[in-house]
Amino acid sequence: MNSTSKIYSYGRQTIDQDDIDAVVEVLKGDWLTQGPYVKKFEDALAAKLGAEYVTAVSNGTAGLHLIGLALGWQKGDIVLTTPITFLASANCILYCSATPDFVDIDPVSYTIDINKLEQKLKDYKVAGKKVKAVVAVDYAGHPCDWKNLKRLAEEFSFQLVNDNCHALGAEIHGDITYAVKYADVVNLSFHPVKHITTGEGGAVLTNNCELDEKIKILRTHGIVKDNSKFIMQNSELIGPWYFEMQELGFNYRITDFQCALGISQLKKLDYFVSKRNEIANFYDETFNNDERFIIPNVQKNLKHGYHLYPLQIKFENLKISKKGYFEKMRENNIGLQVHYIPIHLQPYYKNNFGFKEKDYATAESFYEREVSIPIYPTLQNEDIKYIVDKIKELAF
Ligand SMILES: *Cc1c(COP(=O)(O)O)cnc(C)c1O
């Protein structure tokens, strides 16, 4: 037992008095839901991430759903993603009745394998089929090979989505605005384990005006409110109450007080990301020259966001099983996690789409070894020392 009896998980939020004050201030005002802070938060995200258009939504999964709808995915469309991601990256394909398929991960970056993607695109082409879109995930906070993804998107003309939920604050060549530059549309989540939080929450970023307009309409029931658009035959306005529903939309709105929290959190993003990088550097140094472990690789031109620290443990060489290791760590107040069970192995995907074991070998062997160890800004030096001691001590 550690001296303070703290319980560690792989991730958690950082909330301070500024955040609390910001929320309380909005709660005392007139607007709880669609007030001025939604737009303010969207503008702050747009400025930070270099996006022309931002739509804040109720959660990241809702954002992905709206992206699929706005991109026009429908029955028969093939949309690709990787098996090593949160379910929502693939489920959004199903929400639109499109057909999901997977591309294995690269064994070094753990993101979509560019060569395997290219091969799959060629195979589909030879079969006379077109891939509608690719949902690429900056897994753990490591940006994908976006330059090559963009090249393939142009060559094979598919839509490119960045599920960027792990990588807020990551950079390519020092550029924090890379996501919206390469992808047609970018998705963020503000769940408490992510870099910044609004409780539940998410945002969709794009430089495409038309796409943004669709997403904003679909966020609120498909309602078009701009009264000046609706004119009677005698060219009079119908009336101030009038609106039209032109698409089937949803209520995927976020509240004003959540957005106040988001604005306050976003101011601390750089600090959060640098704390995560400090902790990761310490882990790297600790586990790098130890045969039992494989540390996550970071390409030189990148800044990793470290939503996760995916440590691979070679359980095949140890006496302790992965299950036993998790239990022992739990007894020592360290809650590990696994990111992720490969999606193609989920019963729903196996039963409905015929995926099976060995379909994506790299993803499956990564899953065997992967352990997400605690990484979040409020971990103190003594916490991290305690955690690494236990990780090493119990890996026998
Ligand atoms: C967190 C996450 C989402 C969305 O999650 P919500 O909990 O709905 O906000 C989507 N994709 C990935 C990769 C995620 O990590």
Side-chain angles (χ1 to χ4, degrees):
M1 199 84 136
N2 55 326
S3 54
T4 52
S5 294
K6 279 194 210 168
I7 293 177
Y8 303 105
S9 63
Y10 77 90
R12 62 162 292 143
Q13 70 274 20
T14 305
I15 298 288
D16 63 17
Q17 194 59 43
D18 294 344
D19 298 315
I20 294 166
D21 293 345
V23 174
V24 169
E25 193 60 31
V26 174
L27 289 174
K28 288 177 182 167
D30 290 330
W31 304 95
L32 291 191
T33 176
Q34 300 296 285
Y37 284 87
V38 177
K39 180 75 166 54
K40 280 187 196 169
F41 184 38
E42 290 172 345
D43 289 347
L45 285 166
K48 181 78 187 170
L49 301 172
E52 297 219 24
Y53 309 100
V54 176
T55 306
V57 293
S58 50
N59 58 67
T61 305
L64 285 169
H65 186 189
L66 295 182
I67 286 171
L69 291 171
L71 290 173
W73 300 350
Q74 50 185 303
K75 200 170 162 58
D77 287 338
I78 298 157
V79 180
L80 309 179
T81 188
T82 50
I84 299 293
T85 178
F86 183 54
L87 291 167
S89 312
N91 287 350
C92 64
I93 303 165
L94 309 187
Y95 296 160
C96 299
S97 309
T99 304
D101 197 359
F102 297 97
V103 177
D104 210 344
I105 56 165
D106 174 274
V108 178
S109 71
Y110 317 148
T111 61
I112 193 164
D113 185 315
I114 285 292
N115 297 321
K116 287 181 179 162
L117 171 61
E118 186 159 9
Q119 192 55 52
K120 183 146 253 178
L121 291 163
K122 283 180 180 158
D123 291 347
Y124 270 119
K125 200 171 175 184
V126 168
K129 291 180 185 168
K130 205 180 132 5
V131 168
K132 177 85 170 178
V134 172
V135 180
V137 182
D138 291 345
Y139 171 80
H142 187 291
C144 296
D145 181 355
W146 283 102
K147 209 170 136 214
N148 277 308
L149 280 170
K150 181 94 180 159
R151 172 179 65 77
L152 291 175
E154 277 160 14
E155 187 181 336
F156 291 86
S157 67
F158 57 80
Q159 302 160 337
L160 195 47
V161 179
N162 184 342
D163 184 348
N164 197 235
C165 290
H166 293 188
L168 183 57
E171 296 173 3
I172 298 180
H173 290 298
D175 184 4
I176 201 174
T177 72
Y178 75 90
V180 88
K181 285 187 180 155
Y182 288 104
D184 296 308
V185 56
V186 175
N187 184 55
L188 294 174
S189 164
F190 309 124
H191 182 278
V193 295
K194 307 292 163 73
H195 290 80
I196 66 168
T197 190
T198 58
E200 296 283 354
V204 178
L205 286 65
T206 182
N207 287 340
N208 180 327
C209 175
E210 208 184 315
L211 200 58
D212 177 68
E213 217 167 89
K214 284 186 191 160
I215 285 165
K216 288 208 163 72
I217 289 170
L218 292 168
R219 172 176 61 175
T220 304
H221 310 284
I223 286 173
V224 178
K225 269 203 182 132
D226 182 356
N227 206 258
S228 65
K229 285 192 177 149
F230 309 122
I231 295 166
M232 291 188 290
Q233 273 175 343
N234 63 3
S235 58
E236 295 231 359
L237 291 177
I238 295 175
W241 71 87
Y242 191 73
F243 66 81
E244 281 184 5
M245 176 187 136
Q246 294 171 340
E247 302 276 345
L248 180 61
F250 299 84
N251 177 356
Y252 281 167
R253 294 184 304 251
I254 188 170
T255 66
D256 236 34
F257 55 94
Q258 287 176 292
C259 289
L261 178 56
I263 294 165
S264 173
Q265 287 264 299
L266 187 59
K267 290 180 188 154
K268 291 171 268 200
L269 175 64
D270 295 346
Y271 165 73
F272 290 161
V273 175
S274 72
K275 280 305 268 187
R276 286 173 178 275
N277 271 272
E278 271 174 38
I279 297 166
N281 288 342
F282 185 77
Y283 285 155
D284 284 348
E285 283 165 22
T286 307
F287 301 119
N288 192 20
N289 293 314
D290 190 323
E291 285 284 289
R292 297 170 292 175
F293 305 107
I294 301 171
I295 62 170
N297 182 68
V298 192
Q299 274 148 39
K300 282 209 171 56
N301 59 330
L302 303 178
K303 179 170 183 181
H304 201 300
Y306 289 112
H307 159 57
L308 303 172
Y309 189 92
L311 184 66
Q312 289 189 74
I313 304 181
K314 296 178 189 165
F315 290 105
E316 68 274 20
N317 300 340
L318 303 181
K319 274 207 212 97
I320 196 164
S321 66
K322 188 163 182 174
K323 177 166 173 272
Y325 191 71
F326 268 59
E327 286 165 357
K328 282 267 181 258
M329 290 292 278
R330 170 59 72 190
E331 283 167 21
N332 286 281
N333 288 337
I334 300 170
L336 303 172
Q337 252 306 350
V338 171
H339 295 94
Y340 293 90
I341 303 164
I343 296 179
H344 69 284
L345 299 181
Q346 291 294 349
Y348 189 90
Y349 281 84
K350 281 176 154 177
N351 297 340
N352 289 292
F353 302 99
F355 296 111
K356 55 188 187 313
E357 271 80 11
K358 308 239 160 59
D359 277 352
Y360 304 99
T362 310
E364 290 173 37
S365 58
F366 179 70
Y367 166 57
E368 296 291 316
R369 289 173 166 176
E370 197 273 344
V371 173
S372 297
I373 65 174
I375 188 162
Y376 47 90
T378 52
L379 286 173
Q380 304 297 310
N381 287 340
E382 64 266 24
D383 300 320
I384 298 161
K385 287 201 186 84
Y386 171 77
I387 290 164
V388 301
D389 284 349
K390 289 294 167 197
I391 289 172
K392 291 204 283 193
E393 180 192 320
L394 295 172
F396 58 88

